[in-house]
Amino acid sequence: MSEGEKRGFFSRLTSGLRRSSEKLTSSVSAVFTKRKLDDEALEELEEILIAADLGAPAAARATARLARDRFDKEVTDEEIRTSLATTLSETLKPLEKPLDLGGAAKPEIVLFVGVNGSGKTTTLGKIAAALTRSGKKVLLVAGDTFRAAAVEQVSVWGERAGAPVEKRPIGADAAGLAFDAVDRARREGFDVVLVDTAGRLQTKTALMDELRKIIRVIGKVDPDAPHHAILVLDGTVGANAVSQAEAFLEAGGVTGVIMTKLDGTAKGGALVQVADRFKLPIHAIGVGEGIDDLQPFDADAFARALAGVGEA
């Protein structure tokens, strides 16, 4: 990525995370204007960070850093935000992992899981478009056979991306569809298979069992598949993202996370909670509706944008 592209990305990220950042920085600014950093101030700061959906572990690390460096000294809101950005970056940097679909497996099979409305199908479509632009032969699978709208959405993305779509009538067996799609991809030399799945609420046992069945059936075609199981989380759900991740990890063997809708929420800090709890690779984040608004995750840029600190 060139310097110009980096600046453009940071600008879009800052714009996208503005609501999350403003919620956090306005609270910090209200409390810390040349205030001495004593025990009471640190306690207030910890409460602010927890309220901003960062979670208790990240809040404790951030306040501990400040206590070590600045305790009993006057501190400004800018110093606090800079220190917070460093703490968040340290948390997220080890999990920064762009999605690599250039592995030895052919086809490389990617399962997309998540609840309805998380942006799962749109994320699949944006990745499909990027892959076909790079010359990959991609097959999309409309695996949410419960909803006609979901099948139609995958079909639309297939047209945009210039990729064929494997689909069945509404009510068809989703696992059987996945099996046929993977078998076709092997016969016809596809590079990547992107499988949409029904938007399962983590509390719906029958739907989670269906997800397990899809995984078992795909494994019959290729014992190493699916090679990726990506959990798509909606940035607007805040701390509820943690319970979703927990359920899908158990049911679907999640290998990585993409968080969407960060441009429309004041709860973007929830990604830090998910990172702290599960240590899952973070592949990308969605900061807009456009086809190019799904960006590889950059821990430093995300941390600075969330903390309201300028580009490094």
Side-chain angles (χ1 to χ4, degrees):
M1 188 183 288
S2 69
E3 286 304 313
E5 287 172 328
K6 286 180 180 178
R7 285 193 293 272
F9 168 72
F10 187 78
S11 177
R12 283 209 303 280
L13 183 61
T14 301
S15 177
L17 284 171
R18 181 161 288 126
R19 288 186 66 190
S20 296
S21 177
E22 285 176 352
K23 175 186 176 183
L24 174 60
T25 58
S26 63
S27 298
V28 170
S29 297
V31 173
F32 293 95
T33 305
K34 292 260 184 175
R35 178 178 177 179
K36 184 177 284 190
L37 194 68
D38 54 18
D39 287 329
E40 183 182 353
L42 286 167
E43 188 173 327
E44 282 187 57
L45 176 61
E46 192 165 0
E47 289 173 359
I48 288 169
L49 299 180
I50 291 172
D53 292 295
L54 296 178
R61 287 195 301 275
T63 51
R65 176 189 292 275
L66 280 161
R68 184 187 68 230
D69 296 341
R70 303 288 294 168
F71 189 75
D72 213 28
K73 298 175 183 175
E74 280 196 350
V75 63
T76 66
D77 65 323
E78 184 178 0
E79 288 170 327
I80 286 178
R81 288 186 281 108
T82 300
S83 178
L84 174 61
T86 301
T87 300
L88 296 181
S89 181
E90 287 175 354
T91 299
L92 297 168
K93 192 69 176 177
L95 305 175
E96 178 186 290
K97 187 179 180 183
L99 184 61
D100 180 8
L101 296 178
K106 185 172 179 176
E108 202 154 359
I109 300 160
V110 187
L111 202 65
F112 290 81
V113 302
V115 303
N116 278 339
S118 65
K120 174 168 49 65
T121 306
T122 299
T123 297
L124 177 153
K126 290 178 179 180
I127 290 173
L131 288 171
T132 55
R133 282 202 304 265
S134 70
K136 296 283 189 183
K137 187 177 180 182
V138 181
L139 178 64
L140 307 188
V141 185
D144 185 354
T145 55
F146 298 96
R147 296 188 304 127
V151 175
E152 176 61 25
Q153 191 179 8
V154 175
S155 298
V156 169
W157 273 109
E159 291 177 10
R160 288 181 186 173
V165 176
E166 189 84 3
K167 54 188 174 182
R168 296 286 184 276
I170 299 305
D173 177 48
L177 167 61
F179 180 92
D180 290 345
V182 174
D183 184 56
R184 173 189 172 184
R186 294 184 78 182
R187 286 185 285 105
E188 297 182 17
F190 282 89
D191 297 305
V192 181
V193 181
L194 304 180
V195 185
D196 194 24
T197 63
R200 292 158 173 82
L201 286 170
Q202 66 269 32
T203 54
K204 298 292 185 182
T205 303
L207 287 174
M208 285 303 221
D209 287 343
E210 178 69 22
L211 176 59
R212 294 185 185 96
K213 182 181 176 184
I214 290 171
I215 293 169
R216 286 197 307 271
V217 166
I218 289 175
K220 290 179 180 178
V221 187
D222 181 347
D224 296 324
H227 304 98
H228 305 270
I230 298 174
L231 173 61
V232 181
L233 294 170
D234 177 347
T236 68
V237 303
N240 192 43
V242 173
S243 61
Q244 289 181 19
E246 189 170 42
F248 282 101
L249 261 171
E250 189 278 323
V254 173
T255 59
V257 170
I258 291 174
M259 183 167 275
T260 67
K261 304 184 183 180
L262 287 170
D263 55 312
T265 181
K267 300 181 177 182
L271 183 60
V272 181
Q273 282 198 65
V274 172
D276 259 330
R277 180 76 176 273
F278 304 108
K279 305 296 189 288
L280 286 166
I282 304 169
H283 297 311
I285 51 175
V287 292
E289 293 300 317
I291 197 167
D292 295 317
D293 286 330
L294 185 71
Q295 295 289 326
F297 181 65
D298 181 323
D300 290 334
F302 180 88
R304 294 179 74 83
L306 186 62
V309 178
E311 186 177 6

